[in-house]
Amino acid sequence: MSNVKTFRVKGYMLISHDRLPTWQGFTKDVRAASEKDALEKIYSLMGSKHKVKRYHIRIESITEINPEESIDQVVKELASATRIVKP
């Protein structure tokens, strides 16, 4: 688990592309092994939550951050976990 890093991804997504196209900015923190995996995770999350196609997502930057700097509480909790207990 030590090779998993925390990344902050900033970008824009096109909302309501057919009626009134609007580019909305986003900042999302994700845990991934590499920048490529973090990018795939963002495409997956934005597609499932907002029904945005990959070609309607523009990435500005992907930076590795310290897990304690994360704005997402779930990411902080996952970073500080020492073990996972299965039921």
Side-chain angles (χ1 to χ4, degrees):
M1 182 120 120
S2 62
N3 61 351
V4 178
K5 303 170 191 161
T6 304
F7 294 95
R8 178 164 290 151
V9 181
K10 294 182 181 181
Y12 293 93
M13 61 183 166
L14 187 63
I15 303 295
S16 68
H17 60 87
D18 52 349
R19 293 178 298 223
L20 181 62
T22 305
W23 286 96
Q24 180 177 349
F26 67 87
T27 301
K28 187 79 175 152
D29 294 345
V30 293
R31 305 249 316 144
S34 67
E35 285 188 12
K36 181 181 175 185
D37 292 339
L39 183 62
E40 287 296 318
K41 182 76 171 175
I42 289 296
Y43 284 144
S44 175
L45 288 172
M46 293 299 169
S48 66
K49 288 185 179 182
H50 302 287
K51 305 297 184 231
V52 177
K53 302 289 184 189
R54 288 175 176 244
Y55 52 86
H56 289 148
I57 299 173
R58 300 287 184 251
I59 303 299
E60 281 187 338
S61 66
I62 302 174
T63 54
E64 185 177 346
I65 62 168
N66 192 350
E68 288 81 28
E69 297 173 13
S70 177
I71 55 177
D72 188 356
Q73 189 63 32
V74 175
V75 172
K76 283 184 186 180
E77 295 291 329
L78 284 174
S80 64
T82 57
R83 62 188 172 133
I84 297 174
V85 179
K86 291 184 179 181

